Coordinates of all heavy atoms in Angstrom, one line a residue:
A13 N 140.0 25.2 49.2 CA 138.8 25.8 48.9 C 139.0 27.3 48.4 O 138.4 27.7 47.4 CB 137.8 25.8 50.0
C14 N 139.9 28.0 49.1 CA 140.2 29.4 48.7 C 140.9 29.4 47.3 O 140.6 30.2 46.5 CB 141.0 30.1 49.7 SG 140.1 30.4 51.2
S15 N 141.8 28.5 47.1 CA 142.5 28.4 45.9 C 141.6 28.1 44.7 O 141.7 28.7 43.7 CB 143.6 27.3 45.9 OG 144.6 27.7 46.9
A16 N 140.6 27.1 44.9 CA 139.7 26.8 43.9 C 138.8 28.0 43.6 O 138.5 28.2 42.4 CB 138.9 25.6 44.3
A17 N 138.4 28.7 44.6 CA 137.5 29.9 44.4 C 138.2 31.0 43.6 O 137.7 31.6 42.7 CB 137.0 30.4 45.7
A18 N 139.5 31.2 44.0 CA 140.3 32.2 43.2 C 140.5 31.8 41.8 O 140.4 32.6 40.9 CB 141.6 32.4 44.0
F19 N 140.8 30.6 41.5 CA 140.9 30.1 40.2 C 139.7 30.2 39.4 O 139.7 30.7 38.2 CB 141.5 28.6 40.2 CG 141.6 28.1 38.8 CD1 142.8 28.5 38.1 CD2 140.7 27.2 38.3 CE1 142.9 27.9 36.8 CE2 140.9 26.7 37.0 CZ 142.0 27.1 36.2
A20 N 138.5 29.9 40.0 CA 137.3 29.9 39.2 C 136.8 31.4 38.9 O 136.1 31.5 37.9 CB 136.2 29.2 40.1
S21 N 137.3 32.3 39.7 CA 136.8 33.7 39.5 C 137.6 34.4 38.4 O 137.1 35.4 37.9 CB 136.9 34.5 40.8 OG 138.3 34.7 41.2
K22 N 138.7 33.9 38.0 CA 139.5 34.5 36.9 C 139.0 34.1 35.6 O 138.7 32.9 35.4 CB 141.0 34.1 37.1 CG 141.6 34.7 38.3 CD 143.1 34.3 38.3 CE 143.7 34.9 39.6 NZ 145.1 34.4 39.7
P23 N 138.9 35.0 34.6 CA 138.5 34.6 33.3 C 139.6 33.7 32.7 O 140.8 33.9 32.9 CB 138.4 35.9 32.5 CG 139.1 36.9 33.3 CD 139.1 36.4 34.7
M24 N 139.1 32.7 32.0 CA 140.1 31.8 31.3 C 140.7 32.4 30.1 O 140.1 33.1 29.4 CB 139.3 30.5 30.9 CG 138.9 29.7 32.0 SD 138.5 28.0 31.6 CE 140.1 27.4 31.1
Q25 N 142.0 32.2 30.1 CA 142.8 32.8 29.0 C 142.8 31.7 27.9 O 143.1 30.5 28.2 CB 144.2 33.1 29.4 CG 144.3 34.2 30.4 CD 143.8 35.5 29.8 OE1 144.1 35.8 28.7 NE2 143.1 36.3 30.7
T26 N 142.6 32.0 26.7 CA 142.6 31.1 25.6 C 143.7 31.4 24.6 O 144.2 32.6 24.6 CB 141.3 31.0 24.8 OG1 141.0 32.2 24.2 CG2 140.1 30.6 25.8
D27 N 144.1 30.5 23.9 CA 145.1 30.7 22.9 C 144.5 31.0 21.5 O 145.2 30.9 20.5 CB 146.1 29.5 22.8 CG 146.9 29.4 24.1 OD1 147.2 30.4 24.7 OD2 147.4 28.3 24.4
A28 N 143.2 31.3 21.5 CA 142.5 31.5 20.3 C 143.1 32.8 19.6 O 143.4 33.7 20.3 CB 141.1 31.7 20.5
P29 N 143.2 32.7 18.3 CA 143.8 33.9 17.6 C 142.7 35.1 17.7 O 141.5 34.9 17.9 CB 143.9 33.5 16.2 CG 143.0 32.3 16.0 CD 142.9 31.7 17.4
T30 N 143.3 36.3 17.6 CA 142.4 37.5 17.6 C 141.6 37.5 16.4 O 142.1 37.3 15.3 CB 143.3 38.7 17.7 OG1 144.2 38.7 18.8 CG2 142.5 40.0 17.8
P31 N 140.3 37.7 16.5 CA 139.4 37.8 15.3 C 139.8 39.0 14.4 O 140.2 40.0 14.9 CB 138.0 38.0 15.8 CG 138.1 37.8 17.3 CD 139.5 37.9 17.7
I32 N 139.7 38.8 13.1 CA 140.0 39.8 12.2 C 138.7 40.5 11.8 O 137.7 39.9 11.5 CB 140.7 39.2 10.9 CG1 141.9 38.4 11.2 CG2 141.0 40.2 9.8 CD1 143.1 39.2 11.8
L33 N 138.8 41.8 11.8 CA 137.6 42.6 11.5 C 137.9 43.4 10.1 O 139.0 44.0 10.0 CB 137.3 43.7 12.5 CG 136.1 44.5 12.3 CD1 135.3 44.6 13.6 CD2 136.5 45.8 11.8
G34 N 137.0 43.2 9.2 CA 137.2 43.9 7.9 C 136.1 43.6 7.0 O 135.1 43.0 7.3
G35 N 136.3 43.9 5.7 CA 135.3 43.7 4.7 C 135.5 42.6 3.8 O 134.7 42.3 2.9
S36 N 136.6 41.9 3.9 CA 136.9 40.7 3.0 C 136.2 39.5 3.4 O 135.7 39.4 4.5 CB 138.4 40.5 2.9 OG 138.8 39.8 4.1
L37 N 136.1 38.5 2.5 CA 135.5 37.2 2.8 C 136.3 36.5 3.9 O 135.7 35.6 4.6 CB 135.3 36.4 1.6 CG 134.4 37.0 0.5 CD1 134.4 36.1 -0.7 CD2 133.0 37.1 1.0
D38 N 137.5 36.7 4.0 CA 138.4 36.0 5.0 C 138.2 36.6 6.4 O 138.7 36.0 7.4 CB 139.8 36.1 4.6 CG 140.1 35.3 3.3 OD1 139.4 34.4 3.0 OD2 141.1 35.7 2.6
A39 N 137.6 37.7 6.6 CA 137.4 38.3 7.9 C 136.5 37.6 8.8 O 135.5 36.9 8.3 CB 136.9 39.8 7.8
D40 N 136.8 37.5 10.1 CA 135.9 36.8 11.1 C 134.7 37.6 11.4 O 133.7 37.1 11.8 CB 136.7 36.5 12.4 CG 138.0 35.7 12.2 OD1 137.8 34.6 11.6 OD2 139.0 36.1 12.5
L41 N 134.8 38.9 11.3 CA 133.7 39.9 11.6 C 133.8 41.0 10.6 O 134.8 41.5 10.3 CB 134.0 40.4 13.0 CG 132.9 41.3 13.6 CD1 131.6 40.5 13.8 CD2 133.3 41.9 15.0
T42 N 132.6 41.3 10.0 CA 132.6 42.2 8.9 C 131.9 43.5 9.3 O 131.1 44.1 8.6 CB 131.9 41.7 7.6 OG1 130.7 41.1 8.0 CG2 132.8 40.6 7.0
C43 N 132.0 44.0 10.6 CA 131.6 45.3 11.0 C 132.6 46.3 10.6 O 133.7 46.0 10.2 CB 131.4 45.3 12.5 SG 130.2 44.1 13.2
E44 N 132.2 47.6 10.6 CA 133.1 48.6 10.2 C 133.4 49.6 11.3 O 132.5 49.8 12.2 CB 132.4 49.4 9.0 CG 132.2 48.7 7.8 CD 133.5 48.3 7.0 OE1 134.4 49.1 7.1 OE2 133.5 47.3 6.4
P45 N 134.6 50.1 11.4 CA 134.8 51.2 12.4 C 133.9 52.3 12.1 O 133.6 52.7 11.0 CB 136.3 51.6 12.1 CG 136.9 50.4 11.4 CD 135.8 49.8 10.6
M46 N 133.4 52.9 13.2 CA 132.4 54.1 13.1 C 133.2 55.4 12.8 O 134.1 55.7 13.5 CB 131.7 54.3 14.4 CG 130.7 53.1 14.7 SD 129.9 53.3 16.3 CE 129.0 54.8 16.1
P47 N 132.8 56.0 11.6 CA 133.5 57.2 11.2 C 133.3 58.3 12.3 O 132.2 58.5 12.9 CB 132.8 57.6 9.9 CG 131.9 56.5 9.6 CD 131.7 55.6 10.8
G48 N 134.4 59.0 12.6 CA 134.4 60.1 13.5 C 134.4 59.7 15.0 O 134.3 60.6 15.9
E49 N 134.4 58.4 15.3 CA 134.5 57.9 16.6 C 135.8 57.4 17.0 O 136.6 57.0 16.1 CB 133.4 56.8 16.8 CG 132.0 57.3 16.7 CD 131.6 58.3 17.7 OE1 132.0 58.2 18.9 OE2 130.8 59.2 17.4
P50 N 136.1 57.3 18.3 CA 137.4 56.7 18.7 C 137.6 55.2 18.2 O 136.6 54.6 18.0 CB 137.4 56.8 20.2 CG 136.4 57.8 20.5 CD 135.4 57.7 19.4
A51 N 138.8 54.8 18.1 CA 139.0 53.4 17.8 C 138.3 52.5 18.8 O 138.2 52.8 20.0 CB 140.6 53.1 17.8
G52 N 137.8 51.4 18.3 CA 137.0 50.4 19.1 C 135.5 50.5 19.0 O 134.8 49.8 19.6
H53 N 135.0 51.5 18.3 CA 133.6 51.7 18.1 C 133.2 51.2 16.7 O 133.8 51.7 15.7 CB 133.2 53.2 18.2 CG 133.4 53.8 19.6 ND1 134.6 54.0 20.1 CD2 132.4 54.1 20.5 CE1 134.4 54.5 21.3 NE2 133.1 54.6 21.6
F54 N 132.3 50.2 16.7 CA 132.0 49.5 15.4 C 130.5 49.5 15.1 O 129.7 49.5 16.0 CB 132.5 48.1 15.4 CG 134.0 48.0 15.7 CD1 134.5 47.7 16.9 CD2 134.9 48.2 14.6 CE1 135.9 47.6 17.1 CE2 136.3 48.2 14.9 CZ 136.8 47.8 16.1
I55 N 130.2 49.6 13.8 CA 128.8 49.4 13.4 C 128.7 48.2 12.5 O 129.5 48.0 11.7 CB 128.3 50.7 12.7 CG1 126.8 50.7 12.4 CG2 129.1 51.0 11.4 CD1 126.2 52.0 12.2
C56 N 127.7 47.4 12.8 CA 127.5 46.2 12.1 C 126.2 46.2 11.3 O 125.2 46.7 11.8 CB 127.5 45.0 13.1 SG 128.9 45.0 14.1
E57 N 126.2 45.7 10.1 CA 125.0 45.8 9.3 C 123.8 44.9 9.6 O 122.7 45.2 9.3 CB 125.4 45.5 7.8 CG 126.3 46.6 7.2 CD 126.5 46.4 5.8 OE1 125.9 45.6 5.1 OE2 127.5 47.0 5.3
D58 N 124.0 43.7 10.2 CA 122.9 42.8 10.5 C 123.0 42.3 11.9 O 124.0 42.5 12.6 CB 122.8 41.7 9.4 CG 124.1 40.8 9.5 OD1 124.6 40.5 10.5 OD2 124.5 40.4 8.3
A59 N 122.0 41.6 12.3 CA 121.8 41.2 13.7 C 122.9 40.1 14.0 O 123.4 40.1 15.2 CB 120.4 40.6 13.9
D60 N 123.3 39.3 13.1 CA 124.3 38.2 13.4 C 125.6 38.9 13.7 O 126.4 38.5 14.6 CB 124.4 37.2 12.2 CG 123.1 36.3 12.1 OD1 122.5 36.2 13.2 OD2 122.9 35.8 11.0
R61 N 126.0 39.8 12.8 CA 127.3 40.5 13.0 C 127.3 41.3 14.3 O 128.3 41.3 15.0 CB 127.6 41.3 11.8 CG 127.9 40.5 10.6 CD 128.1 41.4 9.4 NE 128.3 40.6 8.2 CZ 127.8 40.9 7.0 NH1 127.1 42.0 6.8 NH2 128.0 40.1 6.0
F62 N 126.2 41.9 14.5 CA 126.1 42.7 15.8 C 126.2 41.8 17.0 O 126.9 42.1 18.0 CB 124.8 43.5 15.8 CG 124.5 44.1 17.1 CD1 125.2 45.3 17.5 CD2 123.5 43.6 18.0 CE1 124.9 45.9 18.7 CE2 123.3 44.2 19.2 CZ 124.0 45.4 19.5
K63 N 125.6 40.7 17.0 CA 125.6 39.7 18.1 C 127.1 39.2 18.3 O 127.5 39.2 19.4 CB 124.8 38.5 17.8 CG 124.7 37.5 18.9 CD 123.8 36.3 18.6 CE 123.9 35.3 19.6 NZ 123.2 34.0 19.3
R64 N 127.8 38.9 17.2 CA 129.2 38.5 17.4 C 130.1 39.7 18.0 O 130.9 39.4 18.8 CB 129.7 38.1 16.0 CG 131.2 37.7 16.0 CD 131.5 36.4 16.7 NE 132.9 36.1 16.5 CZ 133.7 35.9 17.5 NH1 133.3 35.9 18.8 NH2 135.0 35.6 17.3
C65 N 129.8 40.9 17.5 CA 130.5 42.0 18.0 C 130.2 42.2 19.5 O 131.2 42.4 20.3 CB 130.2 43.3 17.3 SG 131.1 44.8 17.7
Q66 N 129.0 42.0 19.9 CA 128.6 42.1 21.4 C 129.3 41.0 22.2 O 129.7 41.3 23.3 CB 127.1 42.0 21.5 CG 126.4 43.3 21.2 CD 126.7 44.4 22.1 OE1 127.3 45.4 21.8 NE2 126.2 44.3 23.4
E67 N 129.4 39.8 21.6 CA 130.1 38.7 22.3 C 131.5 39.1 22.6 O 132.0 38.8 23.7 CB 130.0 37.5 21.5 CG 128.6 36.8 21.5 CD 128.5 35.7 20.5 OE1 129.5 35.4 19.7 OE2 127.4 35.0 20.5
I68 N 132.2 39.7 21.6 CA 133.6 40.1 21.8 C 133.7 41.2 22.8 O 134.5 41.2 23.7 CB 134.2 40.5 20.4 CG1 134.3 39.3 19.5 CG2 135.5 41.1 20.6 CD1 134.6 39.6 18.1
L69 N 132.7 42.1 22.8 CA 132.7 43.2 23.7 C 132.5 42.7 25.1 O 133.2 43.1 26.0 CB 131.6 44.2 23.4 CG 131.3 45.4 24.3 CD1 132.5 46.3 24.4 CD2 130.1 46.1 23.9
E70 N 131.6 41.8 25.3 CA 131.3 41.3 26.7 C 132.4 40.5 27.2 O 132.6 40.4 28.4 CB 130.0 40.5 26.7 CG 128.8 41.4 26.4 CD 127.5 40.7 26.1 OE1 127.5 39.4 26.2 OE2 126.5 41.3 25.9
A71 N 133.2 39.9 26.3 CA 134.3 39.1 26.8 C 135.5 40.0 27.0 O 136.6 39.5 27.3 CB 134.6 38.0 25.7
N72 N 135.3 41.3 26.8 CA 136.4 42.3 27.0 C 137.5 41.9 26.0 O 138.7 42.0 26.3 CB 136.9 42.3 28.4 CG 137.6 43.6 28.7 OD1 137.5 44.6 28.0 ND2 138.3 43.6 29.8
G73 N 137.1 41.6 24.8 CA 138.0 41.1 23.8 C 138.5 42.2 22.9 O 138.2 43.4 23.0
K74 N 139.3 41.8 21.9 CA 139.9 42.6 21.0 C 139.8 42.1 19.6 O 139.5 40.9 19.4 CB 141.4 42.8 21.3 CG 141.7 43.4 22.6 CD 143.2 43.5 22.9 CE 143.4 44.1 24.3 NZ 144.8 44.3 24.5
V75 N 139.9 42.9 18.6 CA 139.9 42.5 17.2 C 141.2 43.1 16.6 O 141.8 43.9 17.1 CB 138.6 43.0 16.4 CG1 137.4 42.3 17.0 CG2 138.5 44.4 16.5
R76 N 141.5 42.5 15.4 CA 142.6 43.1 14.6 C 142.0 43.5 13.3 O 141.4 42.8 12.6 CB 143.7 42.0 14.4 CG 144.8 42.6 13.5 CD 146.1 41.9 13.7 NE 146.5 41.9 15.0 CZ 147.4 41.0 15.5 NH1 147.9 40.1 14.7 NH2 147.8 41.0 16.8
L77 N 142.1 44.9 13.1 CA 141.6 45.4 11.8 C 142.5 44.9 10.7 O 143.7 44.7 10.8 CB 141.7 46.9 11.9 CG 140.9 47.6 13.0 CD1 141.1 49.1 13.0 CD2 139.4 47.3 12.9
E78 N 141.8 44.6 9.5 CA 142.6 44.1 8.4 C 143.7 45.1 8.0 O 143.4 46.3 8.0 CB 141.6 43.9 7.2 CG 140.8 42.6 7.2 CD 139.9 42.4 6.0 OE1 139.4 43.4 5.5 OE2 139.8 41.3 5.6
G79 N 144.8 44.5 7.8 CA 146.0 45.3 7.4 C 146.7 45.9 8.5 O 147.8 46.5 8.4
E80 N 146.3 45.8 9.8 CA 146.9 46.3 11.0 C 147.8 45.2 11.6 O 147.6 44.1 11.4 CB 145.9 46.8 12.0 CG 145.1 48.0 11.5 CD 145.9 49.3 11.3 OE1 146.8 49.5 12.2 OE2 145.6 50.0 10.4
T81 N 148.7 45.7 12.4 CA 149.6 44.7 13.2 C 149.2 44.7 14.6 O 149.7 43.7 15.3 CB 151.1 45.1 13.0 OG1 151.3 46.4 13.5 CG2 151.5 45.0 11.5
K82 N 148.5 45.6 15.2 CA 148.1 45.7 16.6 C 146.7 45.4 16.8 O 145.9 45.7 15.9 CB 148.5 47.0 17.2 CG 150.0 47.3 17.3 CD 150.4 48.4 18.2 CE 149.9 49.7 17.6 NZ 150.4 50.9 18.4
D83 N 146.3 44.9 17.9 CA 144.9 44.6 18.3 C 144.3 45.9 18.7 O 144.9 46.8 19.2 CB 144.8 43.6 19.4 CG 145.3 42.2 19.0 OD1 145.5 42.0 17.8 OD2 145.5 41.4 19.9

Side-chain angles (χ1 to χ4, degrees):
C14 289
S15 297
F19 178 76
S21 68
K22 293 182 182 176
M24 291 199 65
Q25 298 292 324
T26 63
D27 292 333
T30 303
I32 303 295
L33 184 137
S36 76
L37 295 176
D38 294 333
D40 299 305
L41 185 63
T42 53
C43 299
E44 296 290 327
M46 292 176 60
E49 295 295 326
H53 291 73
F54 301 101
I55 189 160
C56 307
E57 291 185 16
D58 61 41
D60 291 336
R61 293 176 183 143
F62 173 72
K63 181 180 176 185
R64 175 72 175 121
C65 187
Q66 281 294 112
E67 289 170 353
I68 293 170
L69 173 65
E70 290 169 5
N72 203 12
K74 297 179 181 184
V75 294
R76 180 159 303 159
L77 303 175
E78 279 184 323
E80 296 290 325
T81 57
K82 294 194 290 185
D83 294 347

